[in-house]
Amino acid sequence: MVGWLSIRLVVFLMICATVSSTNCPNREWIKKSLKKAHIPGAVVMVINATDTLYAEAFGHQSLTPKRHMNIDRSIFSLASVSKTFVGTAVMQLVEQSLVDLDIDVNQYLSEPQKRIFHPDFPSNSITLRKLLSHSASIATSRQVTNSYYHPGDTAFAESLTDACYRIINPNTSNWLPQPPGTVIYYSNEGNSLAALVVEKVSNMSYIDYVEAKILKPLGIDINKTGVRLADFSNIEDLVKHYAYAYNESSVEVWHEKLPKFNITKISKDFPTWLQIPFYGFSIYPAGLLRMSARSLATYLQMFLNNGSSILRPQSIVEMRRPVGDGLILYYSPNSADQLANVDAGLGWYWLTKNNGRRYVGHEGSMPGVTHSMFVNEKNNLGVIVLSTGDISSETQQSKETYETVTNIYMSLFECFDTDIM
């Protein structure tokens, strides 16, 4: 869920030049790569519109007790890959003429006493297009983001409505010094506000809407999807969260970051694994959707099939189209740090390699998970990597973990996308 997008994109550019198109990754290479980066487990899939071209599970979803990762049964928290579902839900409502992408969202929220607007630019309305493309000028600090996490299901004591209005209101400092619609800045809160619009317009909770209108029509077993721990009859199917600790100071950092959590060491000797308990957060649409890699692949095939049975092809085109025709840049206080290789669509974004190849999809990271889900520019090949790697500490270890996940999915694109040369 966390941003850290600028660091990840820099690493992405570095890696793009290192992957060889002449060598397809084999299981042993991926296994060794995961082990070297201290990633306990992962599931890797390559799909086209109709078939699974590659599917492998590596390592463990639980270290104590030992449980092997499984393509069909292991349930991951999808982190920010969840945001693509918000875009899909909104476009379904657009198709039904229930919402307009360019109308002030306050019209749909129907809370006249709690209007949402930028305090310095009140005439620049907050719209669904701006929320889904991270261009609404909503910005929160890392400290605020860390405060969202609560152990178990306790975060759900606060409703999505209350959480959005608490965080995104003109009386807070959670805004950029730029008018909405002029810059891109990654926002979990903005994406969740778009999901709140889905709730209000559909008269369904957001997760109920996703399961009834997106997952079930695609043939995905909604008994094996959810957001709360209570949504799952067998909690042993849930992939556990871990972080690698070299010394006691690593433990202290985690205790400071997540003081509400009783993060424990698996072994008394260092280095060791830290087990992060299952957690949640009230703005759950931005990162807490839980499902298996197989289910996620079914969803991604919908995208490859131009909407399949749940969206019109024009809606897929709209989600893929960069906001502002790609002319709106990622915000940085230092203009020299502007990121020109990221273009935001609606719930999806584009990454451009240094050789000009482009991929649309989403990455995701939260404590104990790092994921990637991307589609090539021709929209005929998708790659999913779901892993238990942790990059939330912003250390050299985090960089190596992110590099490993990126290397894996880029090498698979190089291998299976035979028309790229």
Side-chain angles (χ1 to χ4, degrees), residues 95-142:
E95 289 182 359
Q96 299 171 59
S97 299
L98 295 175
V99 299
D100 187 303
L101 290 172
D102 299 304
I103 287 180
D104 192 316
V105 294
N106 288 291
Q107 175 174 317
Y108 305 118
L109 298 173
S110 302
E111 293 277 358
Q113 305 304 315
K114 300 180 180 180
R115 292 186 63 81
I116 293 175
F117 58 90
H118 194 306
D120 298 327
F121 306 97
S123 62
N124 291 67
S125 60
I126 307 298
T127 68
L128 284 167
R129 189 184 302 278
K130 294 172 185 175
L131 293 173
L132 292 174
S133 62
H134 302 284
S135 60
S137 288
I138 299 168
T140 56
S141 68
R142 176 57 57 85

Short mmCIF file of all heavy atoms in Angstrom, two decimals, residues 95-142:
data_model
loop_
_atom_site.label_atom_id
_atom_site.label_comp_id
_atom_site.label_asym_id
_atom_site.label_seq_id
_atom_site.Cartn_x
_atom_site.Cartn_y
_atom_site.Cartn_z
N GLU A 95 -20.26 3.12 -16.89
CA GLU A 95 -21.01 2.49 -17.99
C GLU A 95 -22.51 2.54 -17.76
O GLU A 95 -23.29 2.61 -18.72
CB GLU A 95 -20.56 1.03 -18.14
CG GLU A 95 -19.16 0.87 -18.70
CD GLU A 95 -18.76 -0.59 -18.88
OE1 GLU A 95 -19.57 -1.49 -18.55
OE2 GLU A 95 -17.65 -0.82 -19.37
N GLN A 96 -22.91 2.53 -16.50
CA GLN A 96 -24.34 2.58 -16.17
C GLN A 96 -24.85 4.02 -16.02
O GLN A 96 -26.00 4.24 -15.64
CB GLN A 96 -24.59 1.83 -14.87
CG GLN A 96 -24.22 0.36 -14.92
CD GLN A 96 -24.28 -0.30 -13.56
OE1 GLN A 96 -25.34 -0.31 -12.91
NE2 GLN A 96 -23.16 -0.83 -13.10
N SER A 97 -23.97 4.99 -16.32
CA SER A 97 -24.30 6.42 -16.20
C SER A 97 -24.69 6.79 -14.78
O SER A 97 -25.46 7.74 -14.55
CB SER A 97 -25.44 6.79 -17.17
OG SER A 97 -25.05 6.56 -18.52
N LEU A 98 -24.14 6.08 -13.80
CA LEU A 98 -24.41 6.38 -12.39
C LEU A 98 -23.39 7.38 -11.84
O LEU A 98 -23.67 8.05 -10.84
CB LEU A 98 -24.39 5.10 -11.56
CG LEU A 98 -25.50 4.10 -11.88
CD1 LEU A 98 -25.31 2.81 -11.09
CD2 LEU A 98 -26.87 4.71 -11.59
N VAL A 99 -22.22 7.46 -12.47
CA VAL A 99 -21.21 8.44 -12.08
C VAL A 99 -20.57 9.00 -13.34
O VAL A 99 -20.62 8.38 -14.41
CB VAL A 99 -20.12 7.86 -11.15
CG1 VAL A 99 -20.72 7.34 -9.86
CG2 VAL A 99 -19.31 6.79 -11.86
N ASP A 100 -19.95 10.16 -13.18
CA ASP A 100 -19.18 10.79 -14.24
C ASP A 100 -17.76 11.00 -13.72
O ASP A 100 -17.59 11.46 -12.58
CB ASP A 100 -19.82 12.14 -14.62
CG ASP A 100 -19.18 12.77 -15.84
OD1 ASP A 100 -17.95 13.00 -15.82
OD2 ASP A 100 -19.90 13.05 -16.81
N LEU A 101 -16.78 10.67 -14.52
CA LEU A 101 -15.39 10.77 -14.07
C LEU A 101 -14.96 12.19 -13.76
O LEU A 101 -14.01 12.40 -13.01
CB LEU A 101 -14.44 10.18 -15.13
CG LEU A 101 -14.49 8.67 -15.33
CD1 LEU A 101 -13.65 8.28 -16.55
CD2 LEU A 101 -13.99 7.93 -14.09
N ASP A 102 -15.66 13.18 -14.31
CA ASP A 102 -15.19 14.56 -14.22
C ASP A 102 -16.13 15.47 -13.45
O ASP A 102 -16.04 16.69 -13.56
CB ASP A 102 -14.95 15.10 -15.63
CG ASP A 102 -13.90 14.30 -16.37
OD1 ASP A 102 -12.77 14.17 -15.84
OD2 ASP A 102 -14.21 13.77 -17.45
N ILE A 103 -16.99 14.89 -12.62
CA ILE A 103 -17.88 15.66 -11.75
C ILE A 103 -17.34 15.62 -10.32
O ILE A 103 -16.80 14.60 -9.88
CB ILE A 103 -19.32 15.12 -11.83
CG1 ILE A 103 -19.95 15.52 -13.17
CG2 ILE A 103 -20.17 15.61 -10.67
CD1 ILE A 103 -21.37 15.03 -13.35
N ASP A 104 -17.49 16.69 -9.60
CA ASP A 104 -17.07 16.77 -8.21
C ASP A 104 -17.66 15.60 -7.42
O ASP A 104 -18.88 15.38 -7.44
CB ASP A 104 -17.56 18.10 -7.61
CG ASP A 104 -16.93 18.42 -6.27
OD1 ASP A 104 -16.84 17.50 -5.42
OD2 ASP A 104 -16.55 19.57 -6.05
N VAL A 105 -16.80 14.85 -6.72
CA VAL A 105 -17.26 13.66 -6.02
C VAL A 105 -18.21 13.98 -4.87
O VAL A 105 -18.95 13.11 -4.40
CB VAL A 105 -16.09 12.82 -5.48
CG1 VAL A 105 -15.27 12.24 -6.62
CG2 VAL A 105 -15.22 13.61 -4.52
N ASN A 106 -18.21 15.22 -4.38
CA ASN A 106 -19.13 15.57 -3.31
C ASN A 106 -20.58 15.35 -3.72
O ASN A 106 -21.44 15.11 -2.86
CB ASN A 106 -18.91 17.02 -2.88
CG ASN A 106 -17.61 17.20 -2.11
OD1 ASN A 106 -17.46 16.74 -0.99
ND2 ASN A 106 -16.64 17.85 -2.75
N GLN A 107 -20.84 15.42 -5.02
CA GLN A 107 -22.20 15.18 -5.51
C GLN A 107 -22.64 13.75 -5.20
O GLN A 107 -23.82 13.51 -4.93
CB GLN A 107 -22.25 15.43 -7.02
CG GLN A 107 -23.58 15.09 -7.66
CD GLN A 107 -23.64 15.48 -9.12
OE1 GLN A 107 -23.19 16.57 -9.49
NE2 GLN A 107 -24.17 14.60 -9.96
N TYR A 108 -21.69 12.81 -5.23
CA TYR A 108 -22.04 11.41 -4.99
C TYR A 108 -21.94 11.04 -3.51
O TYR A 108 -22.62 10.11 -3.06
CB TYR A 108 -21.10 10.51 -5.79
CG TYR A 108 -21.09 10.83 -7.26
CD1 TYR A 108 -19.92 11.25 -7.90
CD2 TYR A 108 -22.26 10.74 -8.02
CE1 TYR A 108 -19.91 11.56 -9.24
CE2 TYR A 108 -22.26 11.05 -9.37
CZ TYR A 108 -21.07 11.47 -9.97
OH TYR A 108 -21.08 11.78 -11.31
N LEU A 109 -21.13 11.76 -2.77
CA LEU A 109 -20.96 11.45 -1.35
C LEU A 109 -22.14 11.96 -0.53
O LEU A 109 -22.43 11.42 0.54
CB LEU A 109 -19.66 12.06 -0.84
CG LEU A 109 -18.39 11.51 -1.51
CD1 LEU A 109 -17.16 12.29 -1.06
CD2 LEU A 109 -18.21 10.03 -1.19
N SER A 110 -22.80 13.01 -1.00
CA SER A 110 -24.04 13.53 -0.37
C SER A 110 -23.85 13.82 1.11
O SER A 110 -24.66 13.40 1.95
CB SER A 110 -25.19 12.53 -0.58
OG SER A 110 -25.41 12.29 -1.95
N GLU A 111 -22.77 14.52 1.43
CA GLU A 111 -22.51 14.94 2.81
C GLU A 111 -22.29 16.45 2.81
O GLU A 111 -21.15 16.93 2.84
CB GLU A 111 -21.27 14.22 3.37
CG GLU A 111 -21.44 12.73 3.55
CD GLU A 111 -22.12 12.36 4.85
OE1 GLU A 111 -22.44 13.28 5.64
OE2 GLU A 111 -22.34 11.17 5.08
N PRO A 112 -23.37 17.24 2.76
CA PRO A 112 -23.22 18.70 2.63
C PRO A 112 -22.43 19.36 3.74
O PRO A 112 -21.83 20.42 3.54
CB PRO A 112 -24.66 19.21 2.59
CG PRO A 112 -25.48 18.11 3.20
CD PRO A 112 -24.78 16.84 2.84
N GLN A 113 -22.38 18.74 4.91
CA GLN A 113 -21.64 19.31 6.02
C GLN A 113 -20.18 18.85 6.06
O GLN A 113 -19.42 19.30 6.93
CB GLN A 113 -22.33 18.94 7.35
CG GLN A 113 -23.81 19.31 7.44
CD GLN A 113 -24.03 20.78 7.17
OE1 GLN A 113 -23.31 21.64 7.70
NE2 GLN A 113 -25.04 21.09 6.37
N LYS A 114 -19.80 17.97 5.14
CA LYS A 114 -18.44 17.42 5.15
C LYS A 114 -17.84 17.44 3.75
O LYS A 114 -17.31 16.44 3.28
CB LYS A 114 -18.44 15.98 5.68
CG LYS A 114 -18.95 15.81 7.09
CD LYS A 114 -18.90 14.34 7.48
CE LYS A 114 -19.41 14.11 8.88
NZ LYS A 114 -19.36 12.66 9.24
N ARG A 115 -17.91 18.56 3.10
CA ARG A 115 -17.40 18.63 1.73
C ARG A 115 -15.88 18.46 1.68
O ARG A 115 -15.16 18.96 2.55
CB ARG A 115 -17.81 19.95 1.07
CG ARG A 115 -19.31 20.05 0.83
CD ARG A 115 -19.65 21.30 0.04
NE ARG A 115 -19.04 21.30 -1.30
CZ ARG A 115 -19.53 20.67 -2.35
NH1 ARG A 115 -20.64 19.95 -2.23
NH2 ARG A 115 -18.92 20.75 -3.51
N ILE A 116 -15.41 17.76 0.65
CA ILE A 116 -13.99 17.51 0.46
C ILE A 116 -13.48 18.42 -0.65
O ILE A 116 -14.00 18.39 -1.78
CB ILE A 116 -13.73 16.03 0.13
CG1 ILE A 116 -14.06 15.16 1.35
CG2 ILE A 116 -12.28 15.82 -0.31
CD1 ILE A 116 -13.96 13.68 1.09
N PHE A 117 -12.49 19.24 -0.34
CA PHE A 117 -11.87 20.11 -1.34
C PHE A 117 -10.49 20.51 -0.84
O PHE A 117 -10.18 20.41 0.35
CB PHE A 117 -12.73 21.36 -1.59
CG PHE A 117 -12.98 22.20 -0.36
CD1 PHE A 117 -12.12 23.22 0.01
CD2 PHE A 117 -14.10 21.95 0.44
CE1 PHE A 117 -12.37 23.99 1.15
CE2 PHE A 117 -14.35 22.72 1.57
CZ PHE A 117 -13.48 23.73 1.93
N HIS A 118 -9.65 20.94 -1.77
CA HIS A 118 -8.31 21.41 -1.42
C HIS A 118 -8.46 22.78 -0.75
O HIS A 118 -9.03 23.70 -1.34
CB HIS A 118 -7.45 21.51 -2.68
CG HIS A 118 -5.99 21.67 -2.42
ND1 HIS A 118 -5.47 22.67 -1.60
CD2 HIS A 118 -4.91 20.96 -2.88
CE1 HIS A 118 -4.16 22.57 -1.57
NE2 HIS A 118 -3.78 21.54 -2.33
N PRO A 119 -7.94 22.95 0.45
CA PRO A 119 -8.16 24.21 1.17
C PRO A 119 -7.58 25.43 0.47
O PRO A 119 -8.10 26.54 0.62
CB PRO A 119 -7.48 23.97 2.52
CG PRO A 119 -6.50 22.85 2.28
CD PRO A 119 -7.14 22.00 1.24
N ASP A 120 -6.52 25.26 -0.32
CA ASP A 120 -5.89 26.39 -1.00
C ASP A 120 -6.43 26.61 -2.42
O ASP A 120 -6.20 27.66 -3.02
CB ASP A 120 -4.38 26.19 -1.07
CG ASP A 120 -3.74 26.14 0.30
OD1 ASP A 120 -4.24 26.83 1.22
OD2 ASP A 120 -2.77 25.38 0.47
N PHE A 121 -7.12 25.58 -2.94
CA PHE A 121 -7.65 25.68 -4.30
C PHE A 121 -9.08 25.13 -4.32
O PHE A 121 -9.37 24.13 -4.99
CB PHE A 121 -6.76 24.90 -5.28
CG PHE A 121 -5.32 25.28 -5.23
CD1 PHE A 121 -4.41 24.54 -4.49
CD2 PHE A 121 -4.86 26.40 -5.92
CE1 PHE A 121 -3.07 24.89 -4.45
CE2 PHE A 121 -3.53 26.76 -5.88
CZ PHE A 121 -2.63 26.02 -5.14
N PRO A 122 -9.99 25.76 -3.60
CA PRO A 122 -11.35 25.22 -3.45
C PRO A 122 -12.14 25.16 -4.75
O PRO A 122 -13.10 24.38 -4.85
CB PRO A 122 -12.01 26.20 -2.46
CG PRO A 122 -11.22 27.45 -2.58
CD PRO A 122 -9.81 27.03 -2.86
N SER A 123 -11.75 25.93 -5.75
CA SER A 123 -12.49 25.90 -7.01
C SER A 123 -12.04 24.77 -7.93
O SER A 123 -12.69 24.50 -8.94
CB SER A 123 -12.33 27.24 -7.75
OG SER A 123 -10.96 27.47 -8.07
N ASN A 124 -10.94 24.09 -7.59
CA ASN A 124 -10.47 22.93 -8.36
C ASN A 124 -11.09 21.67 -7.77
O ASN A 124 -10.62 21.14 -6.77
CB ASN A 124 -8.94 22.82 -8.32
CG ASN A 124 -8.25 23.92 -9.09
OD1 ASN A 124 -8.31 25.09 -8.70
ND2 ASN A 124 -7.60 23.56 -10.19
N SER A 125 -12.14 21.21 -8.38
CA SER A 125 -12.91 20.11 -7.80
C SER A 125 -12.12 18.81 -7.76
O SER A 125 -11.23 18.56 -8.57
CB SER A 125 -14.20 19.89 -8.61
OG SER A 125 -13.90 19.58 -9.94
N ILE A 126 -12.47 17.98 -6.77
CA ILE A 126 -11.92 16.63 -6.64
C ILE A 126 -12.85 15.69 -7.40
O ILE A 126 -14.04 15.58 -7.08
CB ILE A 126 -11.83 16.19 -5.17
CG1 ILE A 126 -11.05 17.22 -4.34
CG2 ILE A 126 -11.19 14.82 -5.06
CD1 ILE A 126 -9.62 17.43 -4.77
N THR A 127 -12.34 15.04 -8.44
CA THR A 127 -13.16 14.17 -9.29
C THR A 127 -12.65 12.74 -9.23
O THR A 127 -11.53 12.48 -8.77
CB THR A 127 -13.11 14.65 -10.75
OG1 THR A 127 -11.78 14.44 -11.26
CG2 THR A 127 -13.48 16.13 -10.86
N LEU A 128 -13.45 11.83 -9.73
CA LEU A 128 -13.04 10.42 -9.78
C LEU A 128 -11.81 10.24 -10.67
O LEU A 128 -10.92 9.43 -10.36
CB LEU A 128 -14.19 9.55 -10.28
CG LEU A 128 -15.28 9.28 -9.25
CD1 LEU A 128 -16.52 8.68 -9.93
CD2 LEU A 128 -14.79 8.36 -8.14
N ARG A 129 -11.74 10.98 -11.77
CA ARG A 129 -10.57 10.86 -12.63
C ARG A 129 -9.30 11.25 -11.88
O ARG A 129 -8.27 10.59 -11.97
CB ARG A 129 -10.74 11.72 -13.88
CG ARG A 129 -9.64 11.46 -14.92
CD ARG A 129 -9.76 12.40 -16.11
NE ARG A 129 -11.04 12.30 -16.77
CZ ARG A 129 -11.36 11.37 -17.68
NH1 ARG A 129 -10.48 10.43 -17.99
NH2 ARG A 129 -12.56 11.36 -18.24
N LYS A 130 -9.37 12.32 -11.12
CA LYS A 130 -8.21 12.78 -10.36
C LYS A 130 -7.87 11.80 -9.24
O LYS A 130 -6.70 11.54 -8.97
CB LYS A 130 -8.47 14.18 -9.80
CG LYS A 130 -8.59 15.25 -10.87
CD LYS A 130 -9.03 16.59 -10.29
CE LYS A 130 -9.27 17.61 -11.40
NZ LYS A 130 -9.81 18.89 -10.87
N LEU A 131 -8.87 11.25 -8.58
CA LEU A 131 -8.62 10.31 -7.49
C LEU A 131 -7.96 9.03 -8.02
O LEU A 131 -7.00 8.53 -7.44
CB LEU A 131 -9.92 9.97 -6.77
CG LEU A 131 -10.58 11.11 -5.99
CD1 LEU A 131 -11.95 10.66 -5.47
CD2 LEU A 131 -9.70 11.57 -4.83
N LEU A 132 -8.49 8.50 -9.10
CA LEU A 132 -7.98 7.24 -9.63
C LEU A 132 -6.60 7.38 -10.26
O LEU A 132 -5.85 6.41 -10.34
CB LEU A 132 -8.96 6.66 -10.66
CG LEU A 132 -10.30 6.18 -10.11
CD1 LEU A 132 -11.23 5.77 -11.25
CD2 LEU A 132 -10.12 5.01 -9.14
N SER A 133 -6.26 8.58 -10.70
CA SER A 133 -4.96 8.81 -11.35
C SER A 133 -3.96 9.48 -10.41
O SER A 133 -2.91 9.93 -10.86
CB SER A 133 -5.15 9.67 -12.61
OG SER A 133 -5.67 10.94 -12.26
N HIS A 134 -4.28 9.54 -9.13
CA HIS A 134 -3.38 10.13 -8.14
C HIS A 134 -3.02 11.58 -8.48
O HIS A 134 -1.92 12.04 -8.23
CB HIS A 134 -2.09 9.30 -8.02
CG HIS A 134 -2.31 7.87 -7.66
ND1 HIS A 134 -2.63 7.47 -6.38
CD2 HIS A 134 -2.29 6.74 -8.41
CE1 HIS A 134 -2.77 6.15 -6.35
NE2 HIS A 134 -2.58 5.68 -7.58
N SER A 135 -3.98 12.30 -9.03
CA SER A 135 -3.72 13.69 -9.40
C SER A 135 -4.65 14.66 -8.67
O SER A 135 -4.93 15.75 -9.16
CB SER A 135 -3.85 13.88 -10.92
OG SER A 135 -5.15 13.55 -11.39
N ALA A 136 -5.13 14.25 -7.49
CA ALA A 136 -6.03 15.10 -6.71
C ALA A 136 -5.30 15.96 -5.70
O ALA A 136 -5.92 16.65 -4.89
CB ALA A 136 -7.09 14.24 -6.00
N SER A 137 -3.96 15.91 -5.71
CA SER A 137 -3.10 16.68 -4.79
C SER A 137 -3.30 16.30 -3.33
O SER A 137 -3.06 17.09 -2.43
CB SER A 137 -3.34 18.19 -4.97
OG SER A 137 -2.78 18.64 -6.19
N ILE A 138 -3.72 15.07 -3.08
CA ILE A 138 -3.80 14.54 -1.72
C ILE A 138 -2.45 13.93 -1.36
O ILE A 138 -1.87 13.17 -2.14
CB ILE A 138 -4.91 13.48 -1.60
CG1 ILE A 138 -6.27 14.10 -1.95
CG2 ILE A 138 -4.95 12.87 -0.21
CD1 ILE A 138 -7.37 13.08 -2.15
N ALA A 139 -1.92 14.28 -0.19
CA ALA A 139 -0.60 13.79 0.20
C ALA A 139 -0.52 13.62 1.70
O ALA A 139 -0.87 14.52 2.45
CB ALA A 139 0.49 14.75 -0.27
N THR A 140 -0.06 12.45 2.15
CA THR A 140 0.13 12.20 3.57
C THR A 140 1.57 11.77 3.82
O THR A 140 2.25 11.27 2.92
CB THR A 140 -0.82 11.12 4.10
OG1 THR A 140 -0.64 9.93 3.31
CG2 THR A 140 -2.27 11.56 4.02
N SER A 141 2.02 11.92 5.04
CA SER A 141 3.38 11.55 5.40
C SER A 141 3.49 10.05 5.66
O SER A 141 2.48 9.36 5.85
CB SER A 141 3.82 12.30 6.66
OG SER A 141 3.07 11.86 7.78
N ARG A 142 4.73 9.56 5.70
CA ARG A 142 4.96 8.15 6.03
C ARG A 142 4.46 7.84 7.43
O ARG A 142 3.93 6.75 7.69
CB ARG A 142 6.45 7.83 5.90
CG ARG A 142 6.84 6.40 6.31
CD ARG A 142 6.08 5.34 5.53
NE ARG A 142 6.26 5.49 4.12
CZ ARG A 142 7.29 4.98 3.44
NH1 ARG A 142 8.23 4.32 4.07
NH2 ARG A 142 7.36 5.14 2.14
#
